[in-house]
Amino acid sequence: MPYSSQVYSANPINVGSHTLSDGLVDEINWYSDLNNDGSLSVDNITDEYGQEKAIVYGNGFYFYLGDNPSSPDVGDMKIDFKYIPEGTVSLIAAQTGASFSPYVTKGGVAIASSQWLQNRRRTILACIKGQCNHHL
């Protein structure tokens, strides 16, 4: 395959004077589609394969590499772009020096999580350690 999945993150990500651990950064995963501002163009692809094979598809929201997006074949690719919107993030963790570590409850459960509120309706809470995944 000429392309692989890639995620780019700012590094470091700070909350005040504290740096988020890689585990907490990984929990920030509420991606949104990048708005179509008309700038998605095959002309922006820097390699010859992409320039020859790609078409802009889906109302300009992604590139499609293949013969027919309505009838995809094995090996066809859809390349889209997403971002994490700015918003309020709450953390549940222990402050450790200039970073954060899992908070250990009296019962011995380690919790390090991030929580995001979108439009005061959507809450996502995910624990980093073990099988502690909750969606509220």
Side-chain angles (χ1 to χ4, degrees):
M1 264 207 263
Y3 304 105
S4 61
S5 179
Q6 295 183 353
V7 176
Y8 297 95
S9 296
N11 188 9
I13 297 177
N14 296 318
V15 176
S17 61
H18 294 81
T19 302
L20 293 184
S21 68
D22 289 341
L24 285 171
V25 171
D26 289 344
E27 290 298 311
I28 301 173
N29 59 9
W30 37 86
Y31 295 95
S32 292
D33 290 327
L34 195 60
N35 291 331
N36 178 10
D37 64 359
S39 65
L40 190 62
S41 167
V42 174
D43 295 335
N44 295 331
I45 299 175
T46 58
D47 66 90
E48 190 175 314
Y49 176 84
Q51 286 182 348
E52 289 176 6
K53 297 286 185 179
I55 60 170
V56 177
Y57 189 74
N59 293 324
F61 285 103
Y62 61 87
F63 290 119
Y64 187 84
L65 285 83
D67 292 328
N68 185 351
S70 300
S71 181
D73 275 329
V74 174
D76 289 0
M77 298 180 74
K78 177 179 141 183
I79 301 173
D80 62 348
F81 302 91
K82 298 186 180 286
Y83 75 106
I84 297 175
E86 183 178 336
T88 301
V89 176
S90 296
L91 301 174
I92 301 171
Q95 292 183 7
T96 306
S99 189
F100 298 96
S101 63
Y103 170 77
V104 180
T105 67
K106 290 180 184 179
V109 176
I111 300 172
S113 66
S114 59
Q115 178 177 354
W116 182 58
L117 305 174
Q118 176 188 28
N119 299 328
R120 299 183 184 166
R121 292 185 300 230
R122 176 178 170 200
T123 302
I124 301 174
L125 174 65
C127 295
I128 301 266
K129 184 155 175 137
Q131 297 176 347
C132 185
N133 286 327
H134 304 286
H135 296 282
L136 302 175

